[in-house]
Amino acid sequence: RIHFAGALYHVIARGNRGQKIFREDGDYRLYLKFLKEYKDRFGFCLYAYALMPTHVHLLVETGATALSKVMQVLQFRYTRNFNIKYRYWGHLFQCRYKAILCERDSYLLELSAYLHLNPVRAGLVDDPSKYPWSSYPSYMGKEIGGLVDRDFLFSRFSAKRGVARREYEKFVK
């Protein structure tokens, strides 16, 4: 896999055989807790995410630590906890995660909107702001403990946060 500091990736991790990787709210919270812990530890930027019942989407800009290391510890730790909680064994995630290297300028905004609209397209909610397991609520002002790096995407719309938030909302919808 290609690694360099500042690489932008759309990461997708799917449940093995299409199974649910999140069964209840506590599972989503645990994954986000681990994601925040490793973000602080490895120094990557997280621009957007959507945790779906059977898969995960992340929009990540790497730091000095390779994405493969970040994903290995994140997926392993979450799987271990999931397996203990549900008395399950074996693989939780299907194969290895996908990591699509993305162009920062031309694709970043479109990809963030794609991630944030994923729960709507899946029929889980009718409005992306109603889905608690994506970064969209953070972009709309509901801070999630410093997990999401919003400023870079907001800077594409305006230097003023309120204006940027409204413009991003229009862009996504």
Side-chain angles (χ1 to χ4, degrees):
R1 296 201 184 222
I2 299 169
H3 171 73
F4 57 92
L8 184 67
Y9 292 99
H10 175 196
V11 178
I12 306 162
R14 297 190 181 282
N16 199 19
R17 298 178 310 278
Q19 74 184 19
K20 286 188 174 185
I21 55 175
F22 304 107
R23 294 186 179 177
E24 58 185 48
D25 289 356
D27 298 337
Y28 291 98
R29 282 193 289 276
L30 184 64
Y31 192 90
L32 291 174
K33 176 186 170 205
F34 292 158
L35 186 59
K36 173 70 168 110
E37 183 179 317
Y38 292 124
K39 179 181 182 276
D40 292 342
R41 183 182 193 185
F42 296 124
F44 60 87
C45 291
L46 180 65
Y47 295 125
Y49 67 85
L51 307 183
M52 304 297 286
T54 61
H55 62 283
V56 172
H57 290 277
L58 306 173
L59 181 51
V60 174
E61 179 182 327
T62 58
T65 304
L67 179 65
S68 59
K69 174 66 174 175
V70 173
M71 292 305 295
Q72 187 262 330
V73 296
L74 174 64
Q75 303 297 73
F76 174 79
R77 188 170 176 201
Y78 180 76
T79 298
R80 184 179 60 192
N81 280 268
F82 183 96
N83 285 351
I84 290 169
K85 180 178 181 178
Y86 294 108
R87 297 180 181 173
Y88 187 77
W89 61 92
H91 297 285
L92 177 61
F93 292 95
Q94 173 184 315
C95 304
R96 196 168 181 192
Y97 64 92
K98 284 185 185 175
I100 303 161
L101 189 60
C102 302
E103 297 234 1
R104 177 177 314 280
D105 295 328
S106 62
Y107 196 55
L108 182 63
L109 290 176
E110 293 291 334
L111 184 54
S112 71
Y114 171 81
L115 266 63
H116 290 146
L117 288 171
N118 211 286
V120 175
R121 282 190 305 278
L124 300 174
V125 292
D126 60 356
D127 185 295
S129 63
K130 293 179 182 176
Y131 192 70
W133 311 117
S134 84
S135 51
Y136 189 74
S138 178
Y139 277 92
M140 294 299 103
K142 297 175 184 171
E143 182 53 41
I144 308 172
L147 180 60
V148 181
D149 299 289
R150 300 171 296 192
D151 291 340
F152 186 71
L153 263 66
F154 276 166
S155 72
R156 301 298 193 229
F157 294 98
S158 175
K160 296 179 182 177
R161 185 172 292 256
V163 173
R165 180 173 286 123
R166 286 189 299 277
E167 291 300 313
Y168 185 70
E169 182 178 22
K170 281 191 235 175
F171 177 79
V172 170
K173 290 186 177 182

